[in-house]
Amino acid sequence: MEFAILQFALDDGELWPIAVLLLDAEDKLHLRARADLSARLRPEDARIVELFLADLIADARRSSGNVLIATLEDRLSNAIRITDRKPIPVTSIQETLQALASKYRF
């Protein structure tokens, strides 16, 4: 299993984590998105990110996880970025998503 973090580039250059992506052994992408986007984003940016994440969640339900992450890796660049994938041992998808969200301060 692998994970990656989606980040938003704030005006000051800081990369702020907005979602955790977890790719399981069956090529399914699991996602945990930050709920408090308006805490650090301008209202218009928060709305765009909310829509982007909603589309990503919908895509993850019907698409190959590997293909979806590869598409993000290929196309994201400016405001929303994705980290390199990292392997992670997983016994429970939900517990791992929660642990990663906690680690990245969601």
Side-chain angles (χ1 to χ4, degrees):
M1 300 217 185
E2 300 175 314
F3 80 96
I5 305 297
L6 286 179
Q7 304 168 316
F8 188 87
L10 300 171
D11 291 337
D12 64 4
E14 178 186 354
L15 294 175
W16 189 52
I18 57 171
V20 174
L21 307 177
L22 181 63
L23 181 63
D24 71 18
E26 281 105 36
D27 194 28
K28 180 170 171 55
L29 186 63
H30 305 270
L31 184 129
R32 171 75 53 95
R34 180 179 289 280
D36 62 345
L37 293 171
S38 60
R40 306 255 333 250
L41 302 182
R42 293 183 302 250
E44 61 274 13
D45 290 339
R47 183 67 184 138
I48 290 168
V49 171
E50 286 171 0
L51 293 171
F52 169 77
L53 292 173
D55 284 347
L56 184 57
I57 290 167
D59 289 344
R61 289 186 186 123
R62 62 179 179 260
S63 300
S64 158
N66 268 308
V67 169
L68 194 50
I69 288 182
T71 300
L72 293 171
E73 290 167 337
D74 186 49
R75 294 187 182 163
L76 295 179
S77 63
N78 293 326
I80 299 177
R81 301 178 189 181
I82 187 168
T83 65
D84 291 336
R85 299 183 207 188
K86 296 178 186 170
I88 188 168
V90 174
T91 54
S92 163
I93 297 290
Q94 293 307 314
E95 288 176 13
T96 302
L97 283 171
Q98 182 58 43
L100 289 167
S102 294
K103 178 179 178 179
Y104 290 94
R105 300 190 174 141
F106 278 45

